[in-house]
Amino acid sequence: MRAAGLVVARALDLVVASARPGMTTGALDALAEELIRSEDARPSFPEVPGYRHTLCTSVNDEVVHGIPGARVLVEGDLLSVDCGAIYQGWHGDAAVSVIVGGAGAGRPEDLELIAATEDSLWAGAAALAVGAPLHDVGAAVEDSIHASGERAGRVYGIVEDYVGHAIGREMHLDPQIPNYRVHGSSPTVRDTFTGAIEPMVTLGTDQTRVLADGWTVVTVDGTRAAHWEHTVLVREEGLWVLTAHDGGQARLQAHGARFAPLT
Ligand code: MG
Ligand code: MG
């Protein structure tokens, strides 16, 4: 899964480095597919029935599951890219959000949203521990987003319609991992659990709808959204973020979690 995670990390690096005004989301998809296949891996999203692309590219008010195609990126767009790959039967799944044209082209509120969403991902990941309730993740994500919102003087929407998930030999395994505080019983995190933590956060409400294409999820109020995701391994010794080049060491430790790579 580490190998699969690094393929995903390199594909996302390439997409982020390549995304610029005037480029189509379909061209980004082709770049990612080529890189993944060149590493003897294959994209996982085409294994979801009815979907045939390597990436999901969600722009501005699109939250997740945007379909790559003829859409031309514009300077200042908030682009979220989700990527999954399979290497020797094992899955990696990660997502990033960036401003097309670089941070200097971004609206301040979009930059803050992106940073808040990314930080909530790390807060959620850091809440993973063997023997702990899995739902501690959602509580940590929610608390992180609320704290970021207070600092920025706004109320963010935490999307509840889509959630994280366990991952391994398949991309989407049970149990689900909500990005919000869940009351009641929770699964307990076991040694060697692998999960995809993926908060989706908006500048408005948490309400979403699906466009007529059957895939693209947008905010009902038209506000912009960000999406970050990593695949994380949990062991007694600590955590290893399989889709991060550095295994997540710095960000995990900043959130008080133990970093424990296998290599
Ligand atoms: Mg994903
Ligand atoms: Mg996922």
Side-chain angles (χ1 to χ4, degrees):
M1 284 186 72
R2 175 58 164 167
L6 287 176
V7 171
V8 171
R10 287 191 284 268
L12 286 172
D13 283 350
L14 177 62
V15 168
V16 168
S18 305
R20 58 179 60 87
M23 196 168 188
T24 66
T25 53
L28 292 176
D29 191 72
L31 286 173
E33 179 177 3
E34 184 181 7
L35 183 140
I36 290 168
R37 295 197 187 282
S38 77
E39 303 207 9
D40 295 323
R42 68 182 195 276
S44 55
F45 294 0
E47 308 206 357
V48 176
Y51 200 80
R52 63 184 180 85
H53 298 278
T54 294
L55 303 175
C56 291
T57 51
S58 306
V59 183
N60 296 338
D61 65 323
E62 298 172 356
V63 181
V64 284
H65 303 166
I67 304 172
R71 180 169 186 156
V72 176
L73 295 170
V74 174
E75 183 167 279
D77 276 348
L78 197 174
L79 171 67
S80 297
V81 183
D82 196 347
C83 182
I86 308 168
Y87 182 77
Q88 295 185 0
W90 295 96
H91 284 251
D93 188 8
V96 300
S97 290
V98 296
I99 297 295
V100 176
R107 306 186 305 178
E109 61 267 42
D110 292 346
L111 297 173
E112 288 171 359
L113 173 68
I114 288 170
T117 307
E118 183 183 15
D119 202 47
S120 77
L121 157 62
W122 289 101
L128 286 165
V130 174
L134 182 61
H135 289 168
D136 283 0
V137 172
V141 169
E142 184 176 306
D143 290 347
S144 173
I145 289 297
H146 284 165
S148 292
E150 282 196 359
R151 283 194 297 273
R154 62 175 58 90
V155 178
Y156 292 119
I158 302 174
V159 172
E160 298 189 2
D161 296 335
Y162 304 89
V163 295
H165 48 93
I167 179 171
R169 286 281 191 184
E170 293 178 52
M171 179 167 61
H172 292 138
L173 293 170
D174 287 333
Q176 296 187 337
I177 308 175
N179 296 306
Y180 50 92
R181 184 169 272 100
V182 177
H183 298 285
S185 68
S186 166
T188 298
V189 178
R190 308 269 180 221
D191 194 27
T192 73
F193 175 76
T194 43
I197 312 300
E198 51 177 316
M200 289 147 260
V201 184
T202 83
L203 285 170
T205 76
D206 64 352
Q207 297 300 297
T208 67
R209 65 187 174 89
V210 179
L211 296 185
D213 62 23
W215 290 100
T216 311
V217 176
V218 299
T219 58
V220 168
D221 61 13
T223 57
R224 292 185 173 189
H227 177 210
W228 282 87
E229 177 177 26
H230 271 306
T231 298
V232 185
L233 166 66
V234 189
R235 294 186 304 129
E236 295 279 3
E237 294 82 356
L239 307 177
W240 195 21
V241 179
L242 303 175
T243 43
H245 289 290
D246 73 344
Q249 180 168 15
R251 299 297 294 263
L252 287 172
Q253 290 174 343
H255 282 278
R258 275 184 298 169
F259 170 67
L262 276 166
T263 56

